[in-house]
Amino acid sequence: HVDPAIGAADDARRALTYRPGAALARRIRLRDGTCRHPGCTVSADNCDIDHCRPFDHADPQRGGHTTECNLMCLCRRHHRFKTFSGWIYDLAPDGTLVVVTPDGSTMLTRPSGPLAAYRREQARAEQDAWDVQQARNPEPDTADGDLLSEPTYWARRAARHRAERARADRSGPDRANPDGTRPPIGRWWDRNKPVVGRAEEQVHQLLDEILHPPPF
C-alpha cells in the first residue's frame, strides 16, 4: 500500500542522509514513471534518483534534503548533463518540473507514473464535486467582490410582505381602475384590512354624544 499524500514517506532524520530509503525511492519511481528530462522516455526503473537541489555533503542542514519534493528520476545520461550543464531545474511538490536553459527558454514536464496519475484523478474528482456543490449553492458574490450573507428566513419574510403590501397599494378597496371598476383585493389586504368591532362602534357613538350633544 502506498499513501498518495505528498511527502508521506519523508523522514526528518533520513532527509539529512544522501541516499533515499527504499520506500521513498519507490514513491519517486511510481510518481515519475520515466526520466524527467524533457523528451526523455527512459523508464524510471532504469533511472537514477537525483536531488533537484544538490545535496550539501558538507552541511546537510543547509538544504538539498532527501525528501520527495527534492527528488526526481533522471537517466544516467541526463543525470550527468544536469550536473555539468548550466541548466536550471526547479521541482514542485507535486512533481512538476520546470527546466530553464541558459538562453532563457523554459520547458515544463509533469510526472507520468501511476502515483501522479492517481493524484491528478483525485484532484479532478474533488474539483468536480466542488463544482456540483457550487451549482447547488453558489457563493453570494457581488460585483465588487464582497460577499453577502445568505438571506435568513426573516429577511425573506420581510421581502415577501413588502411585495404583498406593494400589490395591496395597487389593488386596495380605495383604488379603482380608469374604467371605474375595482381591481381584485390582494391577499395581504384581505388578511390585514382594518376591522372595527361592535364595542369600538359603541365607544365611538358614546364619545360623539358626549362631545357633540344634540341641541335639545
Side-chain angles (χ1 to χ4, degrees), residues 151-165 167 188 191-192:
T152 63
Y153 164 79
W154 297 107
R156 293 193 297 270
R157 182 174 182 269
R160 185 172 64 253
H161 284 183
R162 286 194 299 270
E164 291 178 350
R165 283 196 294 270
R167 288 195 297 269
W188 185 89
R191 291 197 305 266
N192 299 278

Side-chain angles (χ1 to χ4, degrees), residues 106-180:
T106 301
M107 294 174 284
L108 182 145
T109 70
R110 290 188 172 88
S112 59
L115 179 57
Y118 175 81
R119 287 173 176 171
R120 285 193 290 268
E121 183 61 31
Q122 288 298 104
R124 280 194 295 267
E126 291 176 2
Q127 184 61 47
D128 291 344
W130 174 254
D131 292 341
V132 170
Q133 190 275 338
Q134 287 298 96
R136 292 175 179 170
N137 185 26
E139 293 184 1
D141 295 327
T142 60
D144 57 2
D146 295 331
L147 292 179
L148 297 176
S149 58
E150 185 176 353
T152 63
Y153 164 79
W154 297 107
R156 293 193 297 270
R157 182 174 182 269
R160 185 172 64 253
H161 284 183
R162 286 194 299 270
E164 291 178 350
R165 283 196 294 270
R167 288 195 297 269
D169 291 340
R170 296 191 298 269
S171 61
D174 296 332
R175 303 286 182 176
N177 293 327
D179 59 0

Side-chain angles (χ1 to χ4, degrees), residues 2 15 17-18 46 54 57 64 77-78 84 90 101 112 145 148-149 155 159 169 177 190 208-209:
V2 176
T17 60
Y18 179 66
N46 298 320
H57 292 273
R77 175 190 173 198
H78 288 125
F84 299 107
D90 184 22
T101 64
S112 59
L148 297 176
S149 58
D169 291 340
N177 293 327
D190 187 57
D208 186 62
E209 291 176 356

Side-chain angles (χ1 to χ4, degrees), residues 27-57:
R27 288 176 64 85
I28 302 305
R29 298 186 194 279
L30 287 173
R31 182 197 69 190
D32 288 353
T34 64
C35 171
R36 297 303 309 283
H37 189 85
C40 186
T41 59
V42 175
S43 171
D45 291 335
N46 298 320
C47 289
D48 298 336
I49 294 181
D50 183 39
H51 292 75
C52 183
R53 181 182 176 187
F55 184 83
D56 192 331
H57 292 273

